Structures are given as C-alpha cells and as structure tokens.
C-alpha cells in the first residue's frame, strides 16, 4: 500500500513540477512582450502583470511540490532507518535529499526575483533580470527529477 502511495505521489510531484516549470517559462514569455529599453547590462522596463501572476503561481506550486516530496521522502526515510538498510542506499537517499533542497532553493530564488521585478510599481530601471523566470522554470523540471529519485530510493529501500 505504501509503495502505491509513493508512486502516486511521484506522479503528482512530476505533474506539479512540470506545471511550475511551464508557468515559469510562460512568465518569461509574458515578460518579454513588455517594452524594454536596454543598454549593456542596464535596462528600463514596465512590469508585466501577467508575468507576475504566472511567476507567483510557479513559485507556489514548486513550494507545494517540495513539501509533498519531503513529506513522502521522510516517511520512507523513517522506514529505511527502522529496516537498517544498506549504507549505499541510505547515502544515495541523503544525497538526493540535499540536492533536492539546493535545487528548490535556487529555483525559488530565481522565481521570486523574477516575480518581484514584475511587481506593479511603475517603470523600473536597473540591472537586467533577464531569463530568471525561465531558469527558475528549468529548476522546477530538475526538482521533479531529484524528487522522484529521492522518493523512489527511500521507499524502495524500506
């Protein structure tokens, strides 16, 4: 029964992360539709409300997917510790967990920076914030990969 729940959770996490990734890429496209004046590394642009909404949605979906991945992964870790499984599996599980946290931190930071650059506060000038949203979207896809690996390893070893 636990393995069926783990498989369904993996599918749900993949769908959520793919949705967050697509939202991040669409937010980048919406941001690029806005008029921009660029000079070397400086740019002046108007914020895009559509990009703001899409990027905020991507960040929220990524955070929920990460919470779910950690919840299911930790349940498998507790069972793995109680079963006293082999050291390589336990080490690989912890490595996936650490990489998962790094990927979600990078992805959320990129999405939040992209979201804040599209906040409705009039025209802004400063350093370029190009491609932050699409890189955050790609981090969502990487999050799906490591989340599935983490859940699969911890639940298979248990």
């Amino acid at each position: 029964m636990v393995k069926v729940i783990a498989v369904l959770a993996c599918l749900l996490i993949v769908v959520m992360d793919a949705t967050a990734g697509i939202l991040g890429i669409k937010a980048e496209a919406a941001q690029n539709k806005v008029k921009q004046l660029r000079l070397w590394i400086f740019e002046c642009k108007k914020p895009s409300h559509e990009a703001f909404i899409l990027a905020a949605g991507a960040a929220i979906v990524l955070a929920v997917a990460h919470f779910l991945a950690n919840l299911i992964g930790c349940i498998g870790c507790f069972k793995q510790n109680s079963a006293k499984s082999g050291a390589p599996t336990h080490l690989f599980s912890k490595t996936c967990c650490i990489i998962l946290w790094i990927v979600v931190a990078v992805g959320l930071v990129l999405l939040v920076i992209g979201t804040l650059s599209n906040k409705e506060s009039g025209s802004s000038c400063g350093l370029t914030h190009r491609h932050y949203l699409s890189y955050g979207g790609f981090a969502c896809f990487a999050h799906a990969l490591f989340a599935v690996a983490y859940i699969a390893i911890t639940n298979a070893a248990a």
Side-chain angles (χ1 to χ4, degrees):
M1 181 67 177
V2 174
K3 294 196 189 285
V4 172
I5 292 172
V7 169
L8 291 176
C10 283
L11 289 174
L12 180 63
I13 289 168
V14 167
V15 168
M16 290 175 72
D17 280 333
T19 303
I22 291 169
L23 286 175
I25 293 169
K26 284 189 176 197
E28 179 79 31
Q31 182 181 7
N32 289 338
K33 289 180 185 175
V34 177
K35 263 188 170 178
Q36 298 177 2
L37 175 65
R38 201 170 14 171
L39 179 67
W40 293 327
I41 62 169
F42 300 105
E43 73 176 353
C44 292
K45 69 176 186 71
K46 292 184 180 181
S48 169
H49 183 68
E50 182 183 0
F52 177 80
I53 297 296
L54 290 171
I60 290 169
V61 171
L62 178 62
V64 171
H66 184 68
F67 174 76
L68 184 62
N70 277 312
L71 182 68
I72 301 298
C74 286
I75 291 171
C77 266
F78 288 133
K79 290 185 180 196
Q80 186 179 4
N81 286 338
S82 66
K84 295 197 189 311
S85 63
T89 306
H90 189 68
L91 181 63
F92 187 66
S93 169
K94 295 226 183 262
T95 304
C96 281
C97 182
I98 291 168
I99 293 172
L100 185 68
W101 275 95
I102 292 169
V103 168
V104 80
V106 169
L108 280 175
V109 165
L110 291 171
L111 288 171
V112 167
I113 288 172
T115 302
L116 292 178
S117 71
N118 284 301
K119 197 169 57 170
E120 293 291 330
S121 61
S123 187
S124 66
C125 294
L127 295 176
T128 60
H129 293 287
R130 298 193 67 223
H131 306 299
Y132 282 169
L133 293 172
S134 60
Y135 292 155
F138 294 136
C140 294
F141 292 118
H143 182 268
L145 256 158
F146 287 108
V148 168
Y150 175 55
I151 292 170
I153 294 298
T154 55
N155 285 303

